[in-house]
Amino acid sequence: MAEKYTPEVEARLRDDAAKVVARYPHSRSAIMPLLHLIQSEDGFCSPRGIVLVADILGLSRAQVSAVATFYSQYRRHPNGEYNVGVCTNALCAVMGGDIIWEELSNYLGIGHDETTEDGKITLEQLECNAGCDYAPVVMVNWEFFDNQTPQSAKDIVDDIRAGKDIHPTRGANTVGTFKEISRVLAGFEDGRVDEGPAAGDASLRGLKIARDNAWTGPQPSGEESK
């Protein structure tokens, strides 16, 4: 039998869940943000959280678990306070991502989806983060750290373990905890949406060249334009 939430915590989660469900024409469509909501409380998709989501949406635990175990952003066991992901997909790998992964794994003494003993860091080997123009890329709680080296990646985890703020290349000025970011992913604003640049010069260079040359895409004509 899954451990239960205290009445106060369950009431709070149900109140938040009602706000999420109200955004959708069909309640079961809210399953993914509700799983993020559970992670914002428990740090993973806990058995008690699965039970609660199933009850709220009128689904079976198996239906909720099927979603929670399919997507990699949902954790099956407690995640660290900061999720450090190293991209080792093709471009990042050849630009040094494989070396960063090996050195960081050895430095922390953990492998993929494992957590340091202090509970601070979960290490993850990531697929493409759509940041190829800044390879190799490391992500901390899904914030970008571009153009990394083995030493800069070690500096990031050292700062995390020392309790210092860490500053991504793009996006928010500082990185929130795994639980804080999970609440944002559940659909609750943290007031930081306009912090920092969303894209850098490398990402926007093609757009600038097109505008400088007044290039435009193919325009529809005839019946296609109606």
Side-chain angles (χ1 to χ4, degrees):
M1 192 71 175
E3 176 190 355
K4 293 184 178 181
Y5 292 106
T6 64
E8 294 78 14
V9 171
E10 181 172 337
R12 172 167 50 79
L13 288 172
R14 284 185 178 275
D15 181 62
D16 283 342
K19 297 172 185 174
V20 174
V21 172
R23 301 174 188 147
Y24 297 90
H26 304 289
S27 63
R28 70 178 298 157
S29 298
I31 187 170
M32 296 182 73
L34 289 189
L35 288 172
H36 284 300
L37 180 65
I38 294 303
Q39 292 199 139
S40 76
E41 183 66 33
D42 292 337
F44 74 117
C45 290
S46 61
R48 64 182 182 176
I50 297 292
V51 170
L52 181 61
V53 171
D55 183 62
I56 290 170
L57 299 180
L59 300 173
S60 69
R61 282 179 286 175
Q63 287 173 306
V64 178
S65 294
V67 176
T69 56
F70 183 83
Y71 294 100
S72 62
Q73 276 191 316
Y74 299 127
R75 307 308 192 200
R76 305 184 192 186
H77 48 79
N79 204 78
E81 191 174 350
Y82 291 86
N83 194 82
V84 177
V86 181
C87 181
T88 56
N89 210 330
L91 185 57
C92 277
V94 300
M95 294 294 288
D98 281 347
I99 298 172
I100 292 174
W101 166 258
E102 291 171 8
E103 293 210 18
L104 206 54
S105 179
N106 290 333
Y107 187 64
L108 293 172
I110 55 176
H112 173 70
D113 198 29
E114 294 179 351
T115 303
T116 54
E117 289 185 3
D118 59 7
K120 282 284 186 181
I121 296 169
T122 294
L123 190 60
E124 184 178 19
Q125 195 168 10
L126 291 176
E127 290 300 312
C128 184
N129 298 311
C132 304
D133 41 354
Y134 293 102
V137 171
V138 170
M139 296 193 84
V140 181
N141 292 345
W142 301 287
E143 297 286 358
F144 286 98
F145 289 76
D146 302 323
N147 301 315
Q148 291 298 296
T149 66
Q151 186 56 54
S152 66
K154 291 176 187 177
D155 291 342
I156 291 170
V157 298
D158 283 345
D159 285 346
I160 290 172
R161 301 184 87 173
K164 298 179 181 178
D165 286 338
I166 54 173
H167 307 282
T169 310
R170 292 172 280 140
N173 293 330
T174 58
V175 178
T177 66
F178 181 81
K179 289 184 177 181
E180 289 170 343
I181 297 304
S182 293
R183 184 167 176 81
V184 175
L185 292 172
F188 295 93
E189 296 286 349
D190 62 358
R192 306 178 66 192
V193 67
D194 294 323
E195 286 186 6
D201 290 339
S203 301
L204 300 174
R205 194 164 299 150
L207 178 62
K208 181 180 185 301
I209 292 171
R211 286 177 173 171
D212 289 346
N213 290 276
W215 293 342
T216 60
Q219 300 299 310
S221 60
E223 291 298 319
E224 294 179 357
S225 64
K226 296 180 180 179

